[in-house]
Amino acid sequence: MDTARITVEPELGLIMAEDLVTLERDWVESVRTHFVCETDGCDARVVAVIGRPPLQRRTPHFRSHPDAVHEPECPYADVIVEATGNGGDPENPLTGRHSYPSRLVPLTERTVTDPTGDGTADHIRSGPTSRRTRGNGSGTVDHHTRGIARTIRPLCRTFIAHPDHRRDMLIDIPDIDTTHYQFAFKRLRDTTEPLTLERNRRIFYAPLRIFEQPNETEDRTAITLYAGRRGATDHQLTHTYRILVDHTDWTDSRIRTLRRDLRDARAEAKSDYHTGNPTKTWAFFIGSQDTDDPATFRVANPVHICFITAEITYPTF
């Protein structure tokens, strides 16, 4: 899970795992044993799994303590969170013996005070919604054997880690009309034809264009992808896909997290490029395609974008 509550300071609401990397280290260490499940009314103990800069290949998250028992109505009841929160491999994603994240569940917003700040309510935290949202056209989901994700990152990691199971593993994302992993993701590829509008809303992904700096302003961040239209003769990119992240309504913490993740992702991609590592650094996102410029996708929700370095395989059946 991406967020948790602190029992010793309940007035803080929910704390994001990714924010623990940037908060004051002594304060984080003082509360490490006091985190509990993000669901209101469920006090199952959770453990913060975090790293520190520079590059971290493991995304900060919370996992259930080995002795934790979630309330029966908690979405995490009977779910092995450590197998889903960090992209770990399910032992068998079809039996339910280990869970995998299959649902993107939105959170309601809640304002809390920065514990190391000056008392201003800068951070906006998310509280769990009681409604379990399903995407349009989704089938029945077994909530007791499949886990939830608060951002798209765990879903993307699972997509990468289990190529042979994508067509069987269920997925449920609001406003994405598909029920299986295999069809929920769409790679943006090169073409010599004019770029066109995508027919369906999906989790799109493409490699980052690592040697082109992102354009950062107060209200948005523009990210160029290494995919798009190429010349028919020289095969050079002439019209690249790009992501316009509109963070007008985001908190400063959210913006810093996005730009830190993007900076680290680009640094990791450059390192792999210079050392000949075959992995790529991918941008995954859910965005609205611009009708006047099909090369542009607009993202406004912070949980709808992430960057992952990996080698993606596509099995043949």
Side-chain angles (χ1 to χ4, degrees), residues 268-280 311:
E268 190 169 9
K270 289 180 180 179
S271 175
D272 287 342
Y273 175 83
H274 289 302
T275 59
N277 193 321
T279 60
K280 291 183 173 64
E311 186 173 2

PDB file of all heavy atoms in Angstrom, residues 268-280 311:
ATOM      1  N   GLU A 268      18.956   7.162 -14.211  1.00  0.00           N
ATOM      2  CA  GLU A 268      19.124   5.713 -14.313  1.00  0.00           C
ATOM      3  C   GLU A 268      19.162   5.274 -15.773  1.00  0.00           C
ATOM      4  O   GLU A 268      19.946   4.402 -16.153  1.00  0.00           O
ATOM      5  CB  GLU A 268      17.972   5.015 -13.584  1.00  0.00           C
ATOM      6  CG  GLU A 268      18.158   3.519 -13.421  1.00  0.00           C
ATOM      7  CD  GLU A 268      17.142   2.916 -12.469  1.00  0.00           C
ATOM      8  OE1 GLU A 268      16.192   3.612 -12.072  1.00  0.00           O
ATOM      9  OE2 GLU A 268      17.299   1.724 -12.134  1.00  0.00           O
ATOM     10  N   ALA A 269      18.314   5.883 -16.604  1.00  0.00           N
ATOM     11  CA  ALA A 269      18.298   5.545 -18.024  1.00  0.00           C
ATOM     12  C   ALA A 269      19.622   5.909 -18.692  1.00  0.00           C
ATOM     13  O   ALA A 269      20.148   5.153 -19.519  1.00  0.00           O
ATOM     14  CB  ALA A 269      17.138   6.260 -18.713  1.00  0.00           C
ATOM     15  N   LYS A 270      20.174   7.067 -18.349  1.00  0.00           N
ATOM     16  CA  LYS A 270      21.462   7.473 -18.920  1.00  0.00           C
ATOM     17  C   LYS A 270      22.562   6.511 -18.496  1.00  0.00           C
ATOM     18  O   LYS A 270      23.433   6.144 -19.304  1.00  0.00           O
ATOM     19  CB  LYS A 270      21.801   8.891 -18.479  1.00  0.00           C
ATOM     20  CG  LYS A 270      20.943   9.970 -19.126  1.00  0.00           C
ATOM     21  CD  LYS A 270      21.359  11.356 -18.633  1.00  0.00           C
ATOM     22  CE  LYS A 270      20.509  12.450 -19.261  1.00  0.00           C
ATOM     23  NZ  LYS A 270      20.886  13.796 -18.784  1.00  0.00           N
ATOM     24  N   SER A 271      22.532   6.098 -17.239  1.00  0.00           N
ATOM     25  CA  SER A 271      23.539   5.160 -16.746  1.00  0.00           C
ATOM     26  C   SER A 271      23.462   3.834 -17.500  1.00  0.00           C
ATOM     27  O   SER A 271      24.491   3.276 -17.912  1.00  0.00           O
ATOM     28  CB  SER A 271      23.344   4.927 -15.248  1.00  0.00           C
ATOM     29  OG  SER A 271      24.222   3.941 -14.762  1.00  0.00           O
ATOM     30  N   ASP A 272      22.254   3.334 -17.702  1.00  0.00           N
ATOM     31  CA  ASP A 272      22.091   2.080 -18.435  1.00  0.00           C
ATOM     32  C   ASP A 272      22.534   2.232 -19.889  1.00  0.00           C
ATOM     33  O   ASP A 272      23.138   1.328 -20.470  1.00  0.00           O
ATOM     34  CB  ASP A 272      20.627   1.629 -18.383  1.00  0.00           C
ATOM     35  CG  ASP A 272      20.231   1.104 -17.008  1.00  0.00           C
ATOM     36  OD1 ASP A 272      21.141   0.772 -16.228  1.00  0.00           O
ATOM     37  OD2 ASP A 272      19.027   1.033 -16.726  1.00  0.00           O
ATOM     38  N   TYR A 273      22.260   3.375 -20.480  1.00  0.00           N
ATOM     39  CA  TYR A 273      22.640   3.617 -21.872  1.00  0.00           C
ATOM     40  C   TYR A 273      24.161   3.592 -22.032  1.00  0.00           C
ATOM     41  O   TYR A 273      24.695   2.963 -22.952  1.00  0.00           O
ATOM     42  CB  TYR A 273      22.083   4.962 -22.339  1.00  0.00           C
ATOM     43  CG  TYR A 273      22.521   5.372 -23.720  1.00  0.00           C
ATOM     44  CD1 TYR A 273      21.870   4.886 -24.849  1.00  0.00           C
ATOM     45  CD2 TYR A 273      23.590   6.268 -23.893  1.00  0.00           C
ATOM     46  CE1 TYR A 273      22.280   5.272 -26.125  1.00  0.00           C
ATOM     47  CE2 TYR A 273      23.990   6.658 -25.159  1.00  0.00           C
ATOM     48  CZ  TYR A 273      23.337   6.150 -26.269  1.00  0.00           C
ATOM     49  OH  TYR A 273      23.752   6.533 -27.518  1.00  0.00           O
ATOM     50  N   HIS A 274      24.858   4.260 -21.128  1.00  0.00           N
ATOM     51  CA  HIS A 274      26.318   4.357 -21.253  1.00  0.00           C
ATOM     52  C   HIS A 274      27.007   3.035 -20.914  1.00  0.00           C
ATOM     53  O   HIS A 274      28.129   2.793 -21.380  1.00  0.00           O
ATOM     54  CB  HIS A 274      26.842   5.464 -20.342  1.00  0.00           C
ATOM     55  CG  HIS A 274      26.493   6.846 -20.824  1.00  0.00           C
ATOM     56  ND1 HIS A 274      26.862   7.325 -22.061  1.00  0.00           N
ATOM     57  CD2 HIS A 274      25.799   7.856 -20.227  1.00  0.00           C
ATOM     58  CE1 HIS A 274      26.420   8.556 -22.222  1.00  0.00           C
ATOM     59  NE2 HIS A 274      25.768   8.913 -21.130  1.00  0.00           N
ATOM     60  N   THR A 275      26.372   2.186 -20.117  1.00  0.00           N
ATOM     61  CA  THR A 275      26.969   0.888 -19.761  1.00  0.00           C
ATOM     62  C   THR A 275      26.489  -0.244 -20.646  1.00  0.00           C
ATOM     63  O   THR A 275      26.908  -1.389 -20.473  1.00  0.00           O
ATOM     64  CB  THR A 275      26.665   0.541 -18.297  1.00  0.00           C
ATOM     65  OG1 THR A 275      25.240   0.498 -18.106  1.00  0.00           O
ATOM     66  CG2 THR A 275      27.274   1.557 -17.352  1.00  0.00           C
ATOM     67  N   GLY A 276      25.608   0.053 -21.601  1.00  0.00           N
ATOM     68  CA  GLY A 276      25.133  -0.978 -22.516  1.00  0.00           C
ATOM     69  C   GLY A 276      24.075  -1.889 -21.930  1.00  0.00           C
ATOM     70  O   GLY A 276      23.811  -2.963 -22.485  1.00  0.00           O
ATOM     71  N   ASN A 277      23.464  -1.488 -20.831  1.00  0.00           N
ATOM     72  CA  ASN A 277      22.405  -2.298 -20.228  1.00  0.00           C
ATOM     73  C   ASN A 277      21.179  -2.292 -21.144  1.00  0.00           C
ATOM     74  O   ASN A 277      20.734  -1.237 -21.579  1.00  0.00           O
ATOM     75  CB  ASN A 277      22.053  -1.724 -18.852  1.00  0.00           C
ATOM     76  CG  ASN A 277      21.204  -2.672 -18.028  1.00  0.00           C
ATOM     77  OD1 ASN A 277      20.315  -3.342 -18.548  1.00  0.00           O
ATOM     78  ND2 ASN A 277      21.478  -2.734 -16.735  1.00  0.00           N
ATOM     79  N   PRO A 278      20.601  -3.468 -21.447  1.00  0.00           N
ATOM     80  CA  PRO A 278      19.479  -3.515 -22.398  1.00  0.00           C
ATOM     81  C   PRO A 278      18.160  -3.008 -21.839  1.00  0.00           C
ATOM     82  O   PRO A 278      17.197  -2.848 -22.600  1.00  0.00           O
ATOM     83  CB  PRO A 278      19.375  -5.002 -22.739  1.00  0.00           C
ATOM     84  CG  PRO A 278      19.910  -5.705 -21.526  1.00  0.00           C
ATOM     85  CD  PRO A 278      21.013  -4.811 -21.006  1.00  0.00           C
ATOM     86  N   THR A 279      18.083  -2.749 -20.544  1.00  0.00           N
ATOM     87  CA  THR A 279      16.825  -2.272 -19.981  1.00  0.00           C
ATOM     88  C   THR A 279      16.528  -0.851 -20.457  1.00  0.00           C
ATOM     89  O   THR A 279      17.428  -0.101 -20.830  1.00  0.00           O
ATOM     90  CB  THR A 279      16.858  -2.284 -18.444  1.00  0.00           C
ATOM     91  OG1 THR A 279      17.913  -1.432 -17.988  1.00  0.00           O
ATOM     92  CG2 THR A 279      17.070  -3.688 -17.915  1.00  0.00           C
ATOM     93  N   LYS A 280      15.245  -0.495 -20.423  1.00  0.00           N
ATOM     94  CA  LYS A 280      14.814   0.849 -20.775  1.00  0.00           C
ATOM     95  C   LYS A 280      14.072   1.456 -19.592  1.00  0.00           C
ATOM     96  O   LYS A 280      13.559   0.736 -18.727  1.00  0.00           O
ATOM     97  CB  LYS A 280      13.887   0.835 -21.999  1.00  0.00           C
ATOM     98  CG  LYS A 280      14.543   0.465 -23.320  1.00  0.00           C
ATOM     99  CD  LYS A 280      13.535   0.553 -24.443  1.00  0.00           C
ATOM    100  CE  LYS A 280      14.193   0.355 -25.812  1.00  0.00           C
ATOM    101  NZ  LYS A 280      14.753  -1.005 -25.951  1.00  0.00           N
ATOM    102  N   GLU A 311      13.134  -4.382 -18.403  1.00  0.00           N
ATOM    103  CA  GLU A 311      13.079  -4.975 -19.731  1.00  0.00           C
ATOM    104  C   GLU A 311      11.724  -5.651 -19.872  1.00  0.00           C
ATOM    105  O   GLU A 311      11.404  -6.582 -19.131  1.00  0.00           O
ATOM    106  CB  GLU A 311      14.214  -5.985 -19.929  1.00  0.00           C
ATOM    107  CG  GLU A 311      14.307  -6.529 -21.336  1.00  0.00           C
ATOM    108  CD  GLU A 311      15.536  -7.402 -21.543  1.00  0.00           C
ATOM    109  OE1 GLU A 311      16.284  -7.603 -20.567  1.00  0.00           O
ATOM    110  OE2 GLU A 311      15.742  -7.873 -22.675  1.00  0.00           O
TER     111      GLU A 311
END
